[in-house]
Amino acid sequence: GMQLVKCASKDAAGQYISDMFVGLVNAKPEAVLGFATGSSPLPTYRAMIAAYAEKKVDFSRCTSYNLDEYVGLPEGHPETYSAFMQANLFDSINLPSESVHVPAGCVPKGGEPLTPAEVDTLGDRYEADLERDGPVDLWLLGVGHNGHIAFNEPGSAADSRTRLVHLDAGTIEANKRFFDNDPSLVPTSAVSVGVGTILASRRIVLVAGPEKAEAVARMMDRSLGPDASCPASFLQTHPDVVVVTY
Ligand code: GLP
């Protein structure tokens, strides 16, 4: 089922979700953690870094998986999701770098851009790694205005898996703020875990601010049910989802 938790502020929501991760890792030191990018998870990562600095948690035996990555940005570009995770979380906690997984979509240094076939092949490998290490114990998600989770845009199937995806015009518009406000600089494709990949995790926590109220209402609307027009609504079919709003 879906449980709704309303927090008083963005930072309170981040603290709440951080406490979920810290509690999990203290109970299960070898936990598999699922992470997300975007602005919504940032308060959570700040609180997790603080908990680590205060020696309230040890991530040394954990494994992590991220949701998605742009396709076509040069490796190391600050807007790659891999660089984002380094800067906003991994550089500041003791999760071993060999235990971190972010889907591959960047152009390797001195190399050629990945072909669509290569992106899909690397996606299959990502799924295989996840199959070996998983299931994910707790996966943190944001949600797009159009109801996307990771980069599963409307139309994505409930059983979709890690694959090459094309971004909706609205998603490119929403993300241009990270690219000098120039939509032509936003990658048009990405590699994303599927809805099915996300649903395979044991527990899911989705964070959404007031600007996502409409998407959250649709996601939770049982009368409309789970439907590909709002991929986040497939979370209705999962037994343990916590929706944290503020
Ligand atoms: C991005 C990401 C999603 C994220 C969403 C919302 O495109 N691929 O994983 O949840 O958009 O981002 P934000 O939290 O910045 O609103």
Side-chain angles (χ1 to χ4, degrees), residues 125-165:
R125 201 173 301 165
Y126 197 75
E127 286 284 339
D129 289 347
L130 191 42
E131 184 89 14
R132 184 199 59 218
D133 293 340
V136 170
D137 289 290
L138 178 62
W139 208 325
L140 171 60
L141 307 179
V143 63
H145 291 278
N146 63 357
H148 75 215
I149 44 176
F151 272 132
N152 293 286
E153 302 283 27
S156 298
D159 62 355
S160 50
R161 291 282 166 172
T162 305
R163 69 208 184 286
L164 178 69
V165 294

mmCIF file of all heavy atoms in Angstrom, residues 125-165:
data_model
loop_
_atom_site.group_PDB
_atom_site.id
_atom_site.type_symbol
_atom_site.label_atom_id
_atom_site.label_comp_id
_atom_site.label_asym_id
_atom_site.label_seq_id
_atom_site.Cartn_x
_atom_site.Cartn_y
_atom_site.Cartn_z
ATOM 1 N N ARG A 125 23.267 -5.212 -18.727
ATOM 2 C CA ARG A 125 24.285 -5.558 -17.732
ATOM 3 C C ARG A 125 23.935 -4.956 -16.372
ATOM 4 O O ARG A 125 24.134 -5.570 -15.330
ATOM 5 C CB ARG A 125 25.655 -5.062 -18.212
ATOM 6 C CG ARG A 125 26.801 -5.775 -17.536
ATOM 7 C CD ARG A 125 28.141 -5.410 -18.142
ATOM 8 N NE ARG A 125 28.245 -5.709 -19.563
ATOM 9 C CZ ARG A 125 29.198 -5.221 -20.364
ATOM 10 N NH1 ARG A 125 30.111 -4.401 -19.883
ATOM 11 N NH2 ARG A 125 29.236 -5.547 -21.632
ATOM 12 N N TYR A 126 23.399 -3.739 -16.409
ATOM 13 C CA TYR A 126 22.971 -3.068 -15.176
ATOM 14 C C TYR A 126 21.895 -3.889 -14.481
ATOM 15 O O TYR A 126 21.932 -4.105 -13.262
ATOM 16 C CB TYR A 126 22.447 -1.675 -15.544
ATOM 17 C CG TYR A 126 22.328 -0.697 -14.396
ATOM 18 C CD1 TYR A 126 23.453 -0.105 -13.847
ATOM 19 C CD2 TYR A 126 21.078 -0.347 -13.877
ATOM 20 C CE1 TYR A 126 23.353 0.814 -12.813
ATOM 21 C CE2 TYR A 126 20.969 0.578 -12.845
ATOM 22 C CZ TYR A 126 22.113 1.149 -12.318
ATOM 23 O OH TYR A 126 22.005 2.060 -11.298
ATOM 24 N N GLU A 127 20.935 -4.355 -15.269
ATOM 25 C CA GLU A 127 19.869 -5.208 -14.716
ATOM 26 C C GLU A 127 20.450 -6.483 -14.117
ATOM 27 O O GLU A 127 19.997 -6.943 -13.063
ATOM 28 C CB GLU A 127 18.853 -5.585 -15.797
ATOM 29 C CG GLU A 127 17.915 -4.469 -16.205
ATOM 30 C CD GLU A 127 16.803 -4.187 -15.174
ATOM 31 O OE1 GLU A 127 16.490 -5.068 -14.336
ATOM 32 O OE2 GLU A 127 16.266 -3.064 -15.220
ATOM 33 N N ALA A 128 21.447 -7.061 -14.787
ATOM 34 C CA ALA A 128 22.048 -8.309 -14.302
ATOM 35 C C ALA A 128 22.776 -8.058 -12.974
ATOM 36 O O ALA A 128 22.684 -8.870 -12.041
ATOM 37 C CB ALA A 128 23.009 -8.878 -15.345
ATOM 38 N N ASP A 129 23.488 -6.915 -12.886
ATOM 39 C CA ASP A 129 24.169 -6.566 -11.633
ATOM 40 C C ASP A 129 23.151 -6.404 -10.505
ATOM 41 O O ASP A 129 23.347 -6.878 -9.385
ATOM 42 C CB ASP A 129 24.953 -5.250 -11.788
ATOM 43 C CG ASP A 129 26.187 -5.407 -12.664
ATOM 44 O OD1 ASP A 129 26.568 -6.557 -12.949
ATOM 45 O OD2 ASP A 129 26.755 -4.374 -13.069
ATOM 46 N N LEU A 130 22.064 -5.740 -10.833
ATOM 47 C CA LEU A 130 21.016 -5.482 -9.845
ATOM 48 C C LEU A 130 20.354 -6.790 -9.393
ATOM 49 O O LEU A 130 20.056 -6.986 -8.208
ATOM 50 C CB LEU A 130 19.997 -4.526 -10.484
ATOM 51 C CG LEU A 130 18.930 -3.859 -9.642
ATOM 52 C CD1 LEU A 130 19.462 -3.362 -8.320
ATOM 53 C CD2 LEU A 130 18.337 -2.691 -10.424
ATOM 54 N N GLU A 131 20.172 -7.669 -10.347
ATOM 55 C CA GLU A 131 19.621 -8.993 -10.066
ATOM 56 C C GLU A 131 20.518 -9.751 -9.072
ATOM 57 O O GLU A 131 20.052 -10.366 -8.126
ATOM 58 C CB GLU A 131 19.521 -9.764 -11.389
ATOM 59 C CG GLU A 131 18.888 -11.118 -11.294
ATOM 60 C CD GLU A 131 17.374 -11.054 -11.464
ATOM 61 O OE1 GLU A 131 16.859 -10.004 -11.905
ATOM 62 O OE2 GLU A 131 16.729 -12.058 -11.171
ATOM 63 N N ARG A 132 21.831 -9.616 -9.278
ATOM 64 C CA ARG A 132 22.817 -10.298 -8.428
ATOM 65 C C ARG A 132 22.846 -9.682 -7.017
ATOM 66 O O ARG A 132 22.849 -10.379 -6.021
ATOM 67 C CB ARG A 132 24.205 -10.183 -9.091
ATOM 68 C CG ARG A 132 25.336 -10.923 -8.365
ATOM 69 C CD ARG A 132 26.696 -10.380 -8.807
ATOM 70 N NE ARG A 132 26.795 -8.953 -8.522
ATOM 71 C CZ ARG A 132 27.385 -8.058 -9.306
ATOM 72 N NH1 ARG A 132 27.928 -8.427 -10.439
ATOM 73 N NH2 ARG A 132 27.425 -6.787 -8.957
ATOM 74 N N ASP A 133 22.852 -8.345 -6.944
ATOM 75 C CA ASP A 133 22.992 -7.647 -5.663
ATOM 76 C C ASP A 133 21.667 -7.439 -4.943
ATOM 77 O O ASP A 133 21.646 -7.244 -3.735
ATOM 78 C CB ASP A 133 23.615 -6.251 -5.867
ATOM 79 C CG ASP A 133 25.054 -6.316 -6.340
ATOM 80 O OD1 ASP A 133 25.695 -7.364 -6.155
ATOM 81 O OD2 ASP A 133 25.523 -5.311 -6.897
ATOM 82 N N GLY A 134 20.580 -7.423 -5.702
ATOM 83 C CA GLY A 134 19.295 -6.979 -5.182
ATOM 84 C C GLY A 134 18.549 -8.027 -4.413
ATOM 85 O O GLY A 134 19.103 -9.075 -4.099
ATOM 86 N N PRO A 135 17.286 -7.799 -4.088
ATOM 87 C CA PRO A 135 16.551 -6.590 -4.426
ATOM 88 C C PRO A 135 17.002 -5.375 -3.614
ATOM 89 O O PRO A 135 17.571 -5.519 -2.534
ATOM 90 C CB PRO A 135 15.095 -6.939 -4.080
ATOM 91 C CG PRO A 135 15.179 -8.034 -3.082
ATOM 92 C CD PRO A 135 16.456 -8.760 -3.348
ATOM 93 N N VAL A 136 16.743 -4.194 -4.169
ATOM 94 C CA VAL A 136 17.020 -2.948 -3.466
ATOM 95 C C VAL A 136 16.136 -2.909 -2.215
ATOM 96 O O VAL A 136 14.937 -3.188 -2.280
ATOM 97 C CB VAL A 136 16.746 -1.738 -4.389
ATOM 98 C CG1 VAL A 136 16.789 -0.433 -3.619
ATOM 99 C CG2 VAL A 136 17.740 -1.721 -5.552
ATOM 100 N N ASP A 137 16.730 -2.585 -1.076
ATOM 101 C CA ASP A 137 15.958 -2.543 0.176
ATOM 102 C C ASP A 137 15.090 -1.302 0.265
ATOM 103 O O ASP A 137 13.975 -1.363 0.800
ATOM 104 C CB ASP A 137 16.922 -2.598 1.370
ATOM 105 C CG ASP A 137 17.555 -3.973 1.494
ATOM 106 O OD1 ASP A 137 16.824 -4.915 1.846
ATOM 107 O OD2 ASP A 137 18.753 -4.111 1.206
ATOM 108 N N LEU A 138 15.616 -0.164 -0.201
ATOM 109 C CA LEU A 138 14.858 1.087 -0.137
ATOM 110 C C LEU A 138 15.299 1.954 -1.302
ATOM 111 O O LEU A 138 16.484 2.267 -1.414
ATOM 112 C CB LEU A 138 15.135 1.808 1.194
ATOM 113 C CG LEU A 138 14.452 3.162 1.395
ATOM 114 C CD1 LEU A 138 12.930 3.031 1.396
ATOM 115 C CD2 LEU A 138 14.927 3.827 2.704
ATOM 116 N N TRP A 139 14.344 2.308 -2.163
ATOM 117 C CA TRP A 139 14.703 3.133 -3.326
ATOM 118 C C TRP A 139 14.012 4.484 -3.200
ATOM 119 O O TRP A 139 12.789 4.556 -3.063
ATOM 120 C CB TRP A 139 14.327 2.447 -4.650
ATOM 121 C CG TRP A 139 15.252 2.890 -5.765
ATOM 122 C CD1 TRP A 139 15.802 4.123 -5.925
ATOM 123 C CD2 TRP A 139 15.772 2.079 -6.832
ATOM 124 N NE1 TRP A 139 16.628 4.140 -7.040
ATOM 125 C CE2 TRP A 139 16.631 2.907 -7.605
ATOM 126 C CE3 TRP A 139 15.592 0.728 -7.208
ATOM 127 C CZ2 TRP A 139 17.294 2.428 -8.748
ATOM 128 C CZ3 TRP A 139 16.259 0.268 -8.348
ATOM 129 C CH2 TRP A 139 17.099 1.118 -9.099
ATOM 130 N N LEU A 140 14.840 5.542 -3.206
ATOM 131 C CA LEU A 140 14.341 6.916 -3.150
ATOM 132 C C LEU A 140 14.006 7.400 -4.557
ATOM 133 O O LEU A 140 14.824 7.263 -5.469
ATOM 134 C CB LEU A 140 15.421 7.820 -2.532
ATOM 135 C CG LEU A 140 15.181 9.330 -2.569
ATOM 136 C CD1 LEU A 140 13.913 9.728 -1.825
ATOM 137 C CD2 LEU A 140 16.391 10.075 -1.989
ATOM 138 N N LEU A 141 12.831 7.964 -4.715
ATOM 139 C CA LEU A 141 12.391 8.492 -6.013
ATOM 140 C C LEU A 141 11.911 9.925 -5.879
ATOM 141 O O LEU A 141 11.364 10.307 -4.847
ATOM 142 C CB LEU A 141 11.173 7.712 -6.553
ATOM 143 C CG LEU A 141 11.184 6.217 -6.678
ATOM 144 C CD1 LEU A 141 9.822 5.771 -7.213
ATOM 145 C CD2 LEU A 141 12.294 5.774 -7.609
ATOM 146 N N GLY A 142 12.069 10.684 -6.958
ATOM 147 C CA GLY A 142 11.314 11.914 -7.140
ATOM 148 C C GLY A 142 10.219 11.616 -8.151
ATOM 149 O O GLY A 142 10.033 10.462 -8.559
ATOM 150 N N VAL A 143 9.510 12.628 -8.557
ATOM 151 C CA VAL A 143 8.482 12.430 -9.588
ATOM 152 C C VAL A 143 8.494 13.650 -10.506
ATOM 153 O O VAL A 143 8.730 14.775 -10.048
ATOM 154 C CB VAL A 143 7.086 12.191 -8.945
ATOM 155 C CG1 VAL A 143 6.606 13.396 -8.137
ATOM 156 C CG2 VAL A 143 6.049 11.802 -9.998
ATOM 157 N N GLY A 144 8.277 13.411 -11.787
ATOM 158 C CA GLY A 144 8.207 14.528 -12.735
ATOM 159 C C GLY A 144 6.808 15.130 -12.741
ATOM 160 O O GLY A 144 5.839 14.510 -12.283
ATOM 161 N N HIS A 145 6.704 16.345 -13.257
ATOM 162 C CA HIS A 145 5.383 16.992 -13.366
ATOM 163 C C HIS A 145 4.420 16.131 -14.178
ATOM 164 O O HIS A 145 3.205 16.150 -13.945
ATOM 165 C CB HIS A 145 5.521 18.369 -14.030
ATOM 166 C CG HIS A 145 6.219 19.373 -13.171
ATOM 167 N ND1 HIS A 145 5.558 20.078 -12.179
ATOM 168 C CD2 HIS A 145 7.512 19.766 -13.118
ATOM 169 C CE1 HIS A 145 6.431 20.873 -11.567
ATOM 170 N NE2 HIS A 145 7.623 20.700 -12.119
ATOM 171 N N ASN A 146 4.958 15.392 -15.132
ATOM 172 C CA ASN A 146 4.106 14.549 -15.994
ATOM 173 C C ASN A 146 3.921 13.149 -15.421
ATOM 174 O O ASN A 146 3.430 12.254 -16.115
ATOM 175 C CB ASN A 146 4.705 14.474 -17.400
ATOM 176 C CG ASN A 146 6.080 13.809 -17.422
ATOM 177 O OD1 ASN A 146 6.618 13.441 -16.381
ATOM 178 N ND2 ASN A 146 6.641 13.657 -18.607
ATOM 179 N N GLY A 147 4.337 12.933 -14.180
ATOM 180 C CA GLY A 147 4.153 11.619 -13.571
ATOM 181 C C GLY A 147 5.275 10.641 -13.870
ATOM 182 O O GLY A 147 5.160 9.451 -13.575
ATOM 183 N N HIS A 148 6.404 11.129 -14.454
ATOM 184 C CA HIS A 148 7.492 10.173 -14.701
ATOM 185 C C HIS A 148 8.207 9.826 -13.393
ATOM 186 O O HIS A 148 8.260 10.626 -12.467
ATOM 187 C CB HIS A 148 8.452 10.635 -15.805
ATOM 188 C CG HIS A 148 9.421 11.736 -15.481
ATOM 189 N ND1 HIS A 148 9.805 12.680 -16.410
ATOM 190 C CD2 HIS A 148 10.128 12.044 -14.356
ATOM 191 C CE1 HIS A 148 10.689 13.498 -15.867
ATOM 192 N NE2 HIS A 148 10.895 13.148 -14.613
ATOM 193 N N ILE A 149 8.698 8.602 -13.338
ATOM 194 C CA ILE A 149 9.604 8.180 -12.273
ATOM 195 C C ILE A 149 10.875 7.704 -12.963
ATOM 196 O O ILE A 149 10.807 7.027 -13.990
ATOM 197 C CB ILE A 149 9.001 7.085 -11.351
ATOM 198 C CG1 ILE A 149 8.288 5.985 -12.129
ATOM 199 C CG2 ILE A 149 8.085 7.718 -10.303
ATOM 200 C CD1 ILE A 149 7.771 4.836 -11.256
ATOM 201 N N ALA A 150 12.042 8.058 -12.396
ATOM 202 C CA ALA A 150 13.311 7.996 -13.144
ATOM 203 C C ALA A 150 13.051 8.732 -14.455
ATOM 204 O O ALA A 150 12.462 9.805 -14.447
ATOM 205 C CB ALA A 150 13.773 6.563 -13.320
ATOM 206 N N PHE A 151 13.425 8.166 -15.602
ATOM 207 C CA PHE A 151 13.054 8.793 -16.876
ATOM 208 C C PHE A 151 12.024 7.929 -17.594
ATOM 209 O O PHE A 151 12.031 7.838 -18.814
ATOM 210 C CB PHE A 151 14.289 9.041 -17.741
ATOM 211 C CG PHE A 151 14.958 10.377 -17.490
ATOM 212 C CD1 PHE A 151 16.337 10.442 -17.310
ATOM 213 C CD2 PHE A 151 14.233 11.567 -17.469
ATOM 214 C CE1 PHE A 151 16.970 11.668 -17.096
ATOM 215 C CE2 PHE A 151 14.855 12.793 -17.260
ATOM 216 C CZ PHE A 151 16.223 12.842 -17.079
ATOM 217 N N ASN A 152 11.152 7.296 -16.829
ATOM 218 C CA ASN A 152 10.045 6.550 -17.431
ATOM 219 C C ASN A 152 8.918 7.526 -17.722
ATOM 220 O O ASN A 152 8.099 7.842 -16.852
ATOM 221 C CB ASN A 152 9.565 5.438 -16.501
ATOM 222 C CG ASN A 152 10.617 4.365 -16.324
ATOM 223 O OD1 ASN A 152 10.857 3.565 -17.236
ATOM 224 N ND2 ASN A 152 11.291 4.370 -15.175
ATOM 225 N N GLU A 153 8.915 8.020 -18.958
ATOM 226 C CA GLU A 153 7.930 9.004 -19.375
ATOM 227 C C GLU A 153 6.574 8.330 -19.572
ATOM 228 O O GLU A 153 6.492 7.094 -19.648
ATOM 229 C CB GLU A 153 8.388 9.662 -20.690
ATOM 230 C CG GLU A 153 9.751 10.358 -20.618
ATOM 231 C CD GLU A 153 9.719 11.718 -19.909
ATOM 232 O OE1 GLU A 153 8.837 11.936 -19.040
ATOM 233 O OE2 GLU A 153 10.591 12.561 -20.222
ATOM 234 N N PRO A 154 5.487 9.116 -19.644
ATOM 235 C CA PRO A 154 4.173 8.537 -19.924
ATOM 236 C C PRO A 154 4.231 7.596 -21.136
ATOM 237 O O PRO A 154 4.893 7.904 -22.127
ATOM 238 C CB PRO A 154 3.300 9.767 -20.189
ATOM 239 C CG PRO A 154 3.916 10.824 -19.310
ATOM 240 C CD PRO A 154 5.406 10.571 -19.397
ATOM 241 N N GLY A 155 3.591 6.460 -21.012
ATOM 242 C CA GLY A 155 3.651 5.427 -22.045
ATOM 243 C C GLY A 155 4.538 4.270 -21.632
ATOM 244 O O GLY A 155 4.477 3.192 -22.223
ATOM 245 N N SER A 156 5.375 4.479 -20.600
ATOM 246 C CA SER A 156 6.260 3.399 -20.147
ATOM 247 C C SER A 156 5.434 2.274 -19.522
ATOM 248 O O SER A 156 4.486 2.525 -18.777
ATOM 249 C CB SER A 156 7.251 3.927 -19.102
ATOM 250 O OG SER A 156 8.074 4.929 -19.662
ATOM 251 N N ALA A 157 5.840 1.045 -19.814
ATOM 252 C CA ALA A 157 5.082 -0.117 -19.348
ATOM 253 C C ALA A 157 5.426 -0.472 -17.904
ATOM 254 O O ALA A 157 6.535 -0.200 -17.427
ATOM 255 C CB ALA A 157 5.361 -1.316 -20.246
ATOM 256 N N ALA A 158 4.475 -1.110 -17.231
ATOM 257 C CA ALA A 158 4.657 -1.540 -15.841
ATOM 258 C C ALA A 158 5.834 -2.499 -15.700
ATOM 259 O O ALA A 158 6.471 -2.547 -14.653
ATOM 260 C CB ALA A 158 3.389 -2.209 -15.335
ATOM 261 N N ASP A 159 6.101 -3.272 -16.754
ATOM 262 C CA ASP A 159 7.183 -4.268 -16.657
ATOM 263 C C ASP A 159 8.450 -3.816 -17.393
ATOM 264 O O ASP A 159 9.323 -4.629 -17.676
ATOM 265 C CB ASP A 159 6.701 -5.625 -17.189
ATOM 266 C CG ASP A 159 6.317 -5.571 -18.659
ATOM 267 O OD1 ASP A 159 6.330 -4.462 -19.263
ATOM 268 O OD2 ASP A 159 6.003 -6.643 -19.229
ATOM 269 N N SER A 160 8.559 -2.500 -17.671
ATOM 270 C CA SER A 160 9.751 -2.010 -18.383
ATOM 271 C C SER A 160 10.999 -2.192 -17.525
ATOM 272 O O SER A 160 10.926 -2.216 -16.297
ATOM 273 C CB SER A 160 9.563 -0.545 -18.780
ATOM 274 O OG SER A 160 9.127 0.233 -17.685
ATOM 275 N N ARG A 161 12.136 -2.335 -18.194
ATOM 276 C CA ARG A 161 13.431 -2.546 -17.529
ATOM 277 C C ARG A 161 14.435 -1.504 -18.036
ATOM 278 O O ARG A 161 14.092 -0.661 -18.847
ATOM 279 C CB ARG A 161 13.929 -3.975 -17.808
ATOM 280 C CG ARG A 161 13.077 -5.037 -17.105
ATOM 281 C CD ARG A 161 13.436 -5.137 -15.632
ATOM 282 N NE ARG A 161 12.451 -5.898 -14.857
ATOM 283 C CZ ARG A 161 12.624 -6.246 -13.590
ATOM 284 N NH1 ARG A 161 13.738 -5.914 -12.942
ATOM 285 N NH2 ARG A 161 11.698 -6.911 -12.938
ATOM 286 N N THR A 162 15.658 -1.581 -17.567
ATOM 287 C CA THR A 162 16.669 -0.574 -17.927
ATOM 288 C C THR A 162 16.877 -0.536 -19.445
ATOM 289 O O THR A 162 17.127 -1.568 -20.073
ATOM 290 C CB THR A 162 17.995 -0.876 -17.211
ATOM 291 O OG1 THR A 162 17.740 -0.971 -15.804
ATOM 292 C CG2 THR A 162 19.011 0.226 -17.461
ATOM 293 N N ARG A 163 16.769 0.667 -20.005
ATOM 294 C CA ARG A 163 16.795 0.809 -21.463
ATOM 295 C C ARG A 163 17.036 2.252 -21.875
ATOM 296 O O ARG A 163 16.965 3.153 -21.046
ATOM 297 C CB ARG A 163 15.451 0.344 -22.052
ATOM 298 C CG ARG A 163 14.324 1.317 -21.676
ATOM 299 C CD ARG A 163 12.989 0.640 -21.620
ATOM 300 N NE ARG A 163 11.906 1.594 -21.364
ATOM 301 C CZ ARG A 163 11.669 2.176 -20.182
ATOM 302 N NH1 ARG A 163 12.466 1.957 -19.151
ATOM 303 N NH2 ARG A 163 10.661 3.008 -20.050
ATOM 304 N N LEU A 164 17.268 2.428 -23.175
ATOM 305 C CA LEU A 164 17.384 3.766 -23.751
ATOM 306 C C LEU A 164 15.989 4.378 -23.822
ATOM 307 O O LEU A 164 15.046 3.725 -24.287
ATOM 308 C CB LEU A 164 17.981 3.654 -25.158
ATOM 309 C CG LEU A 164 18.130 4.964 -25.936
ATOM 310 C CD1 LEU A 164 19.199 5.850 -25.309
ATOM 311 C CD2 LEU A 164 18.474 4.676 -27.394
ATOM 312 N N VAL A 165 15.866 5.615 -23.360
ATOM 313 C CA VAL A 165 14.555 6.293 -23.401
ATOM 314 C C VAL A 165 14.738 7.684 -24.020
ATOM 315 O O VAL A 165 15.833 8.243 -24.007
ATOM 316 C CB VAL A 165 13.940 6.448 -21.991
ATOM 317 C CG1 VAL A 165 13.599 5.092 -21.400
ATOM 318 C CG2 VAL A 165 14.875 7.223 -21.056
#
